């Protein structure tokens, strides 16, 4: 993998570089590359997608906190995303969910930004640990991310979370009717 030698000077330049790079890749003839190279690019695109999720979550959380949607006459971030970016309601809801997760799951967002976990695994970890009492969530996020980085597959991660859930909720009364 070749590293880009020039770091962006600011956020605008970074975004321009991202768009230029993705535009180049979208126009490239992938059939002219070896399958090993295609596989490498697919892995790296997943890492880039995870980093984009983390970046979007941070910007959307700040935009929402600053009442950005209201400035354009929209009542919510979801409405703003639909009307101002041209995405579907489902995509807007998904982006807004990540913006809410940003504060509650900083370790997961950091892992996304670093490309050490995919967006889908990161989302699953957040959904799981949201079921724990608040005082257990950060440690559970960290443990699940470390287990994933250590090579645990999805089924084993689910089993590990199930153990965490039983331990964390052991002191609470059963709320299942």
């Amino acid at each position: 993998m070749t590293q880009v030698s020039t770091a962006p000077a600011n956020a605008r330049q970074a975004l321009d570089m991202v768009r230029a790079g993705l535009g180049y890749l979208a126009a490239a003839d992938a059939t002219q590359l070896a399958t090993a190279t295609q596989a490498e690019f697919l892995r790296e695109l997943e890492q880039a997608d995870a980093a984009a999720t983390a970046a979007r979550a941070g910007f959307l959380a700040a935009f929402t906190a600053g009442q950005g949607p209201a400035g354009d006459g929209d009542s919510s971030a979801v409405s703003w995303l639909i009307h101002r970016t041209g995405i579907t309601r489902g995509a807007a809801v998904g982006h807004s969910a990540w913006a809410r997760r940003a504060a509650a799951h900083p370790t997961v967002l950091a892992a996304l930004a670093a490309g050490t976990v995919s967006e889908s695994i990161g989302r699953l970890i957040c959904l799981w640990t949201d079921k724990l009492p608040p005082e257990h969530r950060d440690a559970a996020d960290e443990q699940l991310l470390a287990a994933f980085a250590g090579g645990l597959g999805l089924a084993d991660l689910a089993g590990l979370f199930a153990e965490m859930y039983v331990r964390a909720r052991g002191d609470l009364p059963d709320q299942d009717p």
Side-chain angles (χ1 to χ4, degrees):
M1 179 176 98
T2 304
Q3 293 292 330
V4 175
S5 60
T6 305
N10 55 49
R12 175 75 257 164
Q13 192 176 57
L15 192 56
D16 291 343
M17 292 170 82
V18 166
R19 289 179 58 116
L22 289 174
Y24 179 89
L25 291 173
D29 184 359
T31 64
Q32 297 302 307
L33 300 173
T35 56
T37 303
Q38 293 167 348
E40 175 189 357
F41 285 13
L42 289 168
R43 284 189 296 272
E44 291 188 30
L45 284 167
E46 283 305 317
Q47 292 173 341
D49 185 53
T53 295
R56 183 186 306 107
F59 276 95
L60 187 56
F63 184 67
T64 303
Q67 302 300 312
D72 283 331
D74 287 295
S75 59
S76 69
V78 169
S79 175
W80 187 89
L81 286 166
I82 292 167
H83 296 112
R84 309 297 175 201
T85 68
I87 63 175
T88 65
R89 178 166 181 70
V93 168
H95 294 342
S96 293
W98 272 114
R100 286 188 304 279
R101 289 182 194 117
H105 298 277
T107 308
V108 174
L109 265 285
L112 288 169
T116 58
V117 67
S118 67
E119 183 276 337
S120 60
I121 295 294
R123 179 175 19 88
L124 195 54
I125 289 172
C126 291
L127 291 173
W128 284 342
T129 60
D130 279 344
K131 295 177 182 184
L132 298 175
E135 64 272 15
H136 295 282
R137 290 181 189 152
D138 288 340
D141 283 348
E142 289 177 18
Q143 189 175 358
L144 290 167
L145 287 166
F148 180 76
L152 231 57
L154 189 55
D156 291 328
L157 279 179
L160 177 58
F161 173 72
E163 292 172 17
M164 292 175 178
Y165 183 81
V166 169
R167 279 195 310 270
R169 301 205 44 97
D171 296 337
L172 300 174
D174 188 3
Q175 297 176 1
D176 185 8

